[in-house]
Amino acid sequence: MTVAKPLPHDSAALHVTGQARYVDDLPLPEGAVHLAFGTAPVAHGRLRSIDLTKVRAADGVLAVITAADLDHEIDVSPSPSPEPLLAGDTVQYVGQPVFLVIAESHLLARRAAALADYDIEELPAILSIEEAMEAGSRFEEGPRIYTRGDAAEAITTAPHSLTGSIEIGGQEHFYLEGQAAAALPQEAGDMLVYSSSQHPTEIQHKVAHALHLPMHAVRCEVRRMGGGFGGKESQGNSLAIACALAARLTGRPATMRYDRDDDMTITGKRHDFRIDYRVGFNGEGRIAGIEFLQLCRCGWSMDLSLPVADRAMLHADNAYFIPNMRVESHRLKTNTQSATAFRGFGGPQGMVGIERVLDHVAHAVRRDPLDVRRANYYRPLAGASGGDISEQAKTQTTHYHMPVEDFILHEMTERLVETSDYRARRAAVAEWNARNDVLKKGIALTPVKFGISFTLTHLNQAGALVHVYQDGSIHMNHGGTEMGQGLFQKVAQVAASRFGIGIERVKITATDTGKVPNTSATAASSGSDLNGMAVQAACDTIRERLAVFVAERAQARPEEVRFEGGKVLVGGEALSFDEVVRDAYMARVSLSSTGFYATPKIVWDRIKGEGRPFFYFAYGVAVTEVAIDTLTGENRILRTDILHDCGASLNPALDIGQIEGGYVQGAGWLTTEELVWDGKGRLRTHAPSTYKIPACSDRPDILNVALWDGANREETVYRSKAVGEPPLMLGISALMALSDAVASCGKAYPDLDAPATAEQVLRAVERVCT
Amino acid sequence: MYDFNVARPGSIDEAVKLLSDEDAQALGGGQTLIPTMKQRLAAPELLVSLTNIPEMQGVCRDGDTLSIGGATPHAVVARDAAAHFPGLAALAGQIGDPAVRNRGTLGGSLANNDPSACYPAAALGTGATIVTNTRRIASEDFFQGMFDTALDEGEIIVSVDFPIAEVSAYAKFAQPASRFALVGAFVARYADGVRVAITGASETGVFRWTEAEEALSQDFSHEALDGLSVDSDGMIGDIHGAPTYRAHLVSVMTRRAVAAAI
Ligand SMILES: Cc1cc2nc3c(=O)[nH]c(=O)nc-3n(C[C@H](O)[C@H](O)[C@H](O)COP(=O)(O)OP(=O)(O)OC[C@H]3O[C@@H](n4cnc5c(N)ncnc54)[C@H](O)[C@@H]3O)c2cc1C
């Protein structure tokens, strides 16, 4: 069976030979026009007028469009709260698109876009979380609050309590391929759109709306993205719509891509947070109650901020049963880029909050943080390991009242403690620190429990379209998009396995709204779960028809027919798959089918904070060891050991790739990736020369990744589990290891903010020493 | 980028003549100038490349002086100066990445006088002499603040004479994204005393830390620097580090340079 084989990425050879096509590589018909946005120079202001004379007169410029030229306000937002394509009377952040230049080339368009003379009356800008809280600048009428028990009471009556606060920076997606789109006008006003988007249906919908067309008149195709990470869930809308408008206006194909600096300046990033906490606990570090205040900087428009902030609340427990918990979340509106989806979708920030609390509590009770973590874990599953069965049988629930029915972190932690040699290494770290004054080491183990499903329940659906051609080769299509994560290959493995044939017989095809309609974004880690199941359903429909057909001929029952090793086995006979297909075609059997899947079991009330938002949880554990230079704050990850749960993996090679990449991206977020805005709201880190993402050489020299060998308890595709987002949060172990290293310098708690840049680490060392 | 022409003269005289045109500008490795032109912050009509002039190339020892041609790439210095002046060669070997080191030149780096560049620390820290087509300029007089030097319009750095130190070392704290020096300290010991030059830190560009020089001239050990620090007033504060952080790094990097030199 092809499923579970560690096959390479289907496009790996194309990637490394440069043959893989991205939007900007597509040969366009002659006469294509190129677009660029002119963007707002101030963070907040009234746009009195804008002189575009020089822009219009610039070389190669064909047309310039402002909001006033549009026949209606074009909305690019994925949320119910509109976001104009081009700023109208007010500008809301530095980098906001104000006008669109249509020119003969990319460079000419960009050059012209820089020539506008703005007359703007500057208004006070709200930039920081604190300013937004003070001004009451927010989305939604007030904070969202999820509670279980009485946290305030539990904290007051607990033997010990403490308070703290952590600032968590945002993160630039830094997909290697920037945002890009192209639109080709079709006959009768129809539009074909190519987009580097995780959400082709949204592109189709938004373009149709902008052009006053029914959705059937717009088709969006996405072969692949050069990375998405959530940054292409909604941020591609503007480019696709701009291209469609320009294509309609000029009657020529239109294409647009953001240059890296423009991309970083215009598009949203991961939400930065400040999380305040108050926690009550006993002398062992067992937590009785926590109050979290999550302050989330959303930027100027709503975008996906509400579900992102919800997910941060939903991961405020991570792996821990907190009997009394209150999470209060403020979604703050600021004059900065509109923060958006980013791998983990708020979950990572919520999880950093609780891991910080565990670290702080462990420091207060002077215990190994690992022991405190385990003491607070959700209860082991009934029958998992000895103890009082009746007590164990009671499933614990999260603070949003969802039963935790698949908790496997006790076993996973135990295994990783062993394989990583955690205890001995922790002792060695302590010994090193006793002997060395300048270089200090730290080690930490942190767990991940990540909820899988879109919290907007209706999004948990997917469709597929499978054709079997008369030669036995297969065309497979589904609503998921490929962004390098390997989704297409995994789903192709499912298709090949259903028919019992080799993977080379399955053609992977571009995501296309004309083939599979009404798709959800490839997001929430759900790509394989949803689309794998939909493809499986489509394949099974065709397989069933073939089984009926051959069974009838062989006077056997359809249930007895098996598809294996390129053969169809029936009544003791082994027919070749191709032969069966050919005969079925001749016998006029339909060889094409759609497939559909909707995730079962989930119900969720996001206002009350009650229900079962997730089908299941994916788990992981990581141990990271770091060294810090206590005189400069510089730090390095020395070694990382990871044990991660992909259920029964569809493809261990691709899954391990996702885990390694997720860890490195998570550790980068929390250590070197620092976004800096100046007092005027200008993002000063908008290129790799100022914004440091991890490179190959920043990967720890020792990076051991193993997969947990259990199947998903829920009926997912081949009992696998989602892997896109969860491993990012394994990177939290790097931040906690740094905290451990800093703590070794003195008595006080390090209080380390993220990202823990060298300067931050040095400050923490100074705090701890004095 | 605006349109421009390129000339590749084979002699200094020819280069100087071409540079007498006010819209002409010297081109070394182009590692700074070309990006600046791309951003349209500079728009010379004629670039006069200095990389084809034999007298401006290479490393040559004359007694206690190492003379390096103004158009010598960093990678060549890293390789060819190693046997004569290891501290200087090591500094050149830490500039940027291999591509930058293969193109960027000594003369370009000094003429540019970026406050975060490495070579200014070596020039000032050795008391080097900058030899131009018209005169010899002491390093003390050469650096005149951020991106500012004593060079006149059209004057070119032909070579630089570095007095070879008994021992020396450069300790650099690289800004993680660009690898430029957030703070770099060059320490060199000579028979008549120790010199310490700091780059990356000060708002006025590279400077000599004279207190440290005095202490080290008495006792060339990092302990000699105990209790010494620079004031954070006048240190650069930017997106990569606060003035206090830079001031702190000045002492740490100087100590490390001393330790490495011994
Ligand atoms: C990615 C990157 C990383 C870098 N990292 C570092 C680093 O870590 N440390 C560091 O020190 N530098 C670093 N640099 C800068 C690099 O060293 C440049 O090479 C140097 O600053 C300029 O040298 P150049 O020969 O390229 O000069 P150019 O860019 O050609 O010219 C720069 C200026 O000098 C003038 N000029 C050039 N040659 C002469 C001459 N002989 N006489 C008079 N004027 C002249 C030019 O007219 C121009 O004004 C980095 C650069 C890049 C792109």
Side-chain angles (χ1 to χ4, degrees), chain A residues 323-476:
Chain A
N324 301 282
M325 173 109 129
R326 182 176 191 279
V327 187
E328 179 178 323
S329 161
H330 296 253
R331 296 89 198 270
L332 302 166
K333 186 173 175 178
T334 52
N335 294 108
T336 47
Q337 291 83 352
S338 180
T340 191
F342 196 137
R343 201 174 191 176
F345 208 71
Q349 294 93 319
M351 215 177 272
V352 166
I354 181 73
E355 288 304 331
R356 164 58 175 267
V357 170
L358 268 295
D359 192 57
H360 202 165
V361 167
H363 188 268
V365 300
R366 301 272 153 205
R367 288 185 72 194
D368 180 345
L370 171 60
D371 297 329
V372 174
R373 287 193 163 92
R374 284 167 113 167
N376 285 287
Y377 270 0
Y378 281 98
R379 190 182 287 145
L381 295 172
S385 59
D388 179 353
I389 301 289
S390 62
E391 188 51 25
Q392 283 183 7
K394 282 190 229 142
T395 307
Q396 289 174 317
T397 59
T398 64
H399 59 292
Y400 46 91
H401 312 282
M402 167 169 169
V404 181
E405 293 168 339
D406 56 7
F407 196 76
I408 48 175
L409 278 170
H410 290 278
E411 305 89 298
M412 290 181 70
T413 305
E414 202 167 302
R415 171 103 53 93
L416 188 68
V417 164
E418 240 165 69
T419 58
S420 67
D421 204 14
Y422 174 86
R423 297 283 177 200
R425 284 171 57 208
R426 188 164 181 84
V429 162
E431 205 176 297
W432 167 281
N433 288 341
R435 278 186 290 111
N436 291 278
D437 289 333
V438 176
L439 293 186
K440 297 281 186 184
K441 291 185 179 178
I443 188 167
L445 181 150
T446 59
V448 172
K449 163 179 140 288
F450 191 76
I452 302 300
S453 292
F454 286 99
T455 56
L456 199 52
T457 304
H458 82 261
L459 297 178
N460 296 288
Q461 58 171 313
L465 177 65
V466 174
H467 305 317
V468 178
Y469 292 104
Q470 48 188 294
D471 66 353
S473 67
I474 288 166
H475 175 111
M476 179 197 75

Side-chain angles (χ1 to χ4, degrees), chain A residues 135-147:
Chain A
S137 174
R138 61 174 70 247
F139 295 102
E140 294 193 302
E141 62 299 340
R144 286 259 81 75
I145 298 168
Y146 295 168
T147 51

